[in-house]
Amino acid sequence: MVSSAARTFDLVIAANRLPVDRSVSPDGTVTWRTSPGGLVTAMESVMHEREAAWVGWAGFPGEAPDPFDDGLLRLHPVGLTAEDVTDFYEGFSNDTLWPLYHDVIVPPTYHRSWWHAYRRVNEKFTDAVAEVAAEGATVWVHDYQLQLVPAMLRDRRPDLRIGWFNHIPFPPVELFAQLPWRAMLLRGLLGADFLGFQRPDDARNFLRGCRSVLGASVKGDVVTWQGADDGRLGAGPRVARAGSVPISIDAEGFRKLADSPGVRARATEIRASLGDPEVVLLGVDRLDYTKGIRHRLRAIEELLADGEIAPPQVTFVQVATPSRERVEAYRTLREQIEATVGRINGDFSHLGDTAVHYLHQSYGREEMAALFKVADVMLVTPLRDGMNLVAKEYVTARHDGGGALVLSEFTGAAEEMRSAYLCNPHDIAGLKETILRAIRDDPALKRRRMASLRRRVRRHDVQTWAEAFLTALDAAPGKPAVRKEVSS
């Protein structure tokens, strides 16, 4: 990655984080490595042949590094202060919006100072995007951290074509109405020409919110707002379209990775290290209260107590990637999960035979692909999830015909992956029965289920998603205005 002279681009991506993480060696040398996040994984294969700019936070507080290039992709860091990180990211984004948008599984926290930080940081992103966007460029804004950027950018640069995609659920208006700044967020989003959501219900929730909160007119998937003569953010009239464009993975690339000799060899090593059990159950999640890890562990514990499963014949591996550890709810969750794992292993493990293998760490794509190949049953059981790409990666990795996917009804993936073993993770008895079916069903039936799932993911991969979104954005109502002035 090398520095480059200032220039503008016809396609600009704006997301909370850059697609790379900084690594500083003991001698002070700085290198950048591809991030492991879901958005980066999804966008990586889409962007590698496009000349574009990516605007995002570099991942550490302080002054932003100079822009630099990663192949054809220009990386334009946004600087956040330590206060920004605390109030905008950990506060408003992850302690206000995240729980509100995930069915209030934990109560959201509302602080005016966090809201002011959210506005301030969205303005920083707007400044950066306006700087790198060429005349008439297409700007693709991502996710819940940047919901004010579309209107801020529209006010600054009316010549741009602006799209926004939400990677998490969008709440029903009955929950969204709790938010003191609900109208301003909707005004911010209406700066976009097209708004993409994971599920049809999410798009409908947004449209209902515009009608209920703003008094906008909604016809089909088009929302028309007459504006407000108050001089505030996004006051002008707007026409925008909202629709479901479910995200996916680079299916062919991940299949090739999973089939590589190194991954196959590593999968053999992993299974041997687990004691060559008859059945390996696997969960892979960020350590987040939305992922249903506690409910999953309860189901496993009851299955062990019932004698339905037992080591060494059956073992459960739970990977819990560290996440937002400075937020109190996440620290509490980690303590609860680790206590539960300790109790289960104390009650049901034997010397050399562990009931639950708990791994609180991050792994690279190769290691994850190897774990997927080992898993006889994959447990993807969030209480609420926008999509869940792990489910799609798992079925792609198991192109050998093996495996079984237990999938929560409350994931976006369940809209597409109807051949999975669908479950309600709140129903512990039902979850237990579903896990046993996934273990015990006829192998031929399981192979047919997995083949159907693989076909779906292969036909609707990440390239299909990106093309569908950009096509919808290009066809959205309205045409960009002629640019008259650009302010810094």
Side-chain angles (χ1 to χ4, degrees):
M1 301 180 186
V2 296
S3 298
S4 65
R7 62 187 190 275
T8 59
F9 296 82
D10 291 328
L11 176 61
V12 180
I13 307 300
N16 178 59
R17 288 291 299 271
L18 290 175
V20 292
D21 291 327
R22 185 181 68 160
S23 176
V24 182
S25 64
D27 65 2
T29 302
V30 175
T31 57
W32 297 88
R33 299 176 182 173
T34 300
S35 303
L39 171 61
V40 173
T41 302
M43 294 295 292
E44 186 178 22
S45 62
V46 175
M47 302 303 299
H48 76 281
E49 293 181 352
R50 299 174 185 259
E51 189 173 74
W54 185 309
V55 173
W57 177 44
F60 53 89
E63 187 175 344
D66 291 334
F68 56 94
D69 288 344
D70 180 11
L72 296 175
L73 189 61
R74 176 73 178 277
L75 303 182
H76 191 103
V78 174
L80 301 185
T81 66
E83 182 182 7
D84 290 336
V85 175
T86 299
D87 292 349
F88 155 75
Y89 181 68
E90 296 171 352
F92 196 80
S93 294
N94 292 322
D95 211 2
T96 300
L97 294 178
W98 181 269
L100 180 66
Y101 283 33
H102 286 85
D103 292 354
V104 193
I105 294 170
V106 303
T109 304
Y110 303 118
H111 291 305
R112 283 173 287 180
S113 60
W114 290 0
W115 165 248
H116 296 320
Y118 187 82
R119 287 198 59 143
R120 181 174 66 248
V121 171
N122 273 245
E123 287 171 352
K124 291 183 179 183
F125 274 81
T126 300
D127 291 341
V129 172
E131 179 181 339
V132 298
E135 179 83 21
T138 294
V139 178
W140 190 351
V141 184
H142 287 268
D143 229 354
Y144 64 104
Q145 300 97 341
L146 304 179
Q147 293 178 92
L148 301 181
V149 167
M152 289 178 171
L153 197 57
R154 175 74 55 200
D155 291 346
R156 179 82 59 84
R157 293 284 304 273
D159 61 296
L160 300 176
R161 197 69 163 164
I162 303 170
W164 178 80
F165 184 80
N166 197 35
H167 292 260
I168 68 173
F170 196 88
V173 67
E174 292 80 7
L175 294 179
F176 186 72
Q178 294 183 19
L179 187 67
W181 308 280
R182 58 197 184 185
M184 292 307 295
L185 277 190
L186 291 174
R187 289 170 65 149
L189 290 173
L190 284 177
D193 298 293
F194 176 71
L195 300 104
F197 298 87
Q198 301 279 25
R199 304 176 307 144
D201 280 350
D202 296 320
R204 286 191 287 266
N205 286 342
F206 168 75
L207 293 169
R208 290 172 185 146
C210 290
R211 183 167 50 207
S212 175
V213 174
L214 297 180
S217 171
V218 175
K219 186 174 182 180
D221 59 1
V222 176
V223 55
T224 303
W225 187 54
Q226 298 304 319
D229 189 19
D230 56 12
R232 300 167 73 189
L233 174 69
R238 288 294 302 145
V239 178
R241 179 173 168 245
S244 171
V245 190
I247 197 171
S248 194
I249 65 169
D250 176 13
E252 180 61 20
F254 201 78
R255 186 198 66 78
K256 289 179 179 178
L257 174 67
D259 203 35
S260 65
V263 168
R264 291 203 309 270
R266 178 59 183 148
T268 301
E269 291 176 1
I270 292 172
R271 195 166 197 105
S273 71
L274 296 174
D276 287 316
E278 295 174 12
V279 177
V280 175
L281 308 174
L282 174 65
V284 175
D285 311 86
R286 279 192 313 104
L287 188 58
D288 191 289
Y289 48 78
T290 67
K291 301 301 183 181
I293 301 174
R294 287 175 294 190
H295 297 64
R296 192 182 309 156
L297 285 170
R298 183 178 171 188
I300 294 295
E301 184 174 19
E302 291 190 12
L303 286 170
L304 288 163
D306 296 343
E308 298 285 4
I309 63 173
Q313 291 82 11
V314 179
T315 191
F316 175 45
V317 179
Q318 175 64 59
V319 176
T321 304
S323 176
R324 303 168 187 167
E325 296 189 303
R326 289 175 33 165
V327 178
E328 179 62 29
Y330 290 80
R331 292 197 298 268
T332 301
L333 176 67
R334 178 179 178 182
E335 292 169 1
Q336 293 171 342
I337 288 175
E338 291 179 352
T340 302
V341 170
R343 183 180 68 245
I344 293 172
N345 281 331
D347 289 344
F348 300 106
S349 295
H350 313 286
L351 286 175
D353 300 324
T354 303
V356 177
H357 299 263
Y358 175 72
L359 306 169
H360 181 243
Q361 51 194 286
S362 300
Y363 292 99
R365 296 184 71 211
E366 291 80 5
E367 187 75 358
M368 293 312 308
L371 281 166
F372 292 152
K373 292 185 79 68
V374 170
D376 300 290
V377 178
M378 186 79 205
L379 304 181
V380 180
T381 59
L383 307 180
R384 172 63 72 193
D385 213 338
M387 175 52 62
N388 198 290
L389 297 179
V390 166
K392 296 187 175 186
E393 290 177 339
Y394 173 69
V395 300
T396 301
R398 293 307 307 262
H399 64 91
D400 58 352
L405 174 63
V406 174
L407 182 63
S408 167
E409 299 168 355
F410 305 117
T411 63
E415 298 275 340
E416 305 175 81
M417 306 177 78
R418 307 306 296 179
S419 296
Y421 290 89
L422 297 178
C423 69
N424 174 1
H426 298 277
D427 176 8
I428 302 301
L431 177 57
K432 290 162 57 181
E433 292 173 3
T434 306
I435 292 172
L436 290 177
R437 283 178 55 213
I439 293 173
R440 297 172 177 173
D441 262 359
D442 179 69
L445 173 61
K446 291 196 284 188
R447 283 195 295 272
R448 288 196 296 271
R449 283 176 173 265
M450 290 292 283
S452 173
L453 294 171
R454 281 193 299 277
R455 284 194 300 270
R456 173 69 191 189
V457 176
R458 186 171 63 248
R459 291 171 182 171
H460 297 84
D461 64 1
V462 70
Q463 287 83 9
T464 304
W465 165 72
E467 290 168 6
F469 182 92
L470 293 172
T471 298
L473 173 57
D474 187 60
K479 293 293 182 182
V482 176
R483 182 181 174 194
K484 297 179 180 179
E485 179 180 356
V486 176
S487 55
S488 59

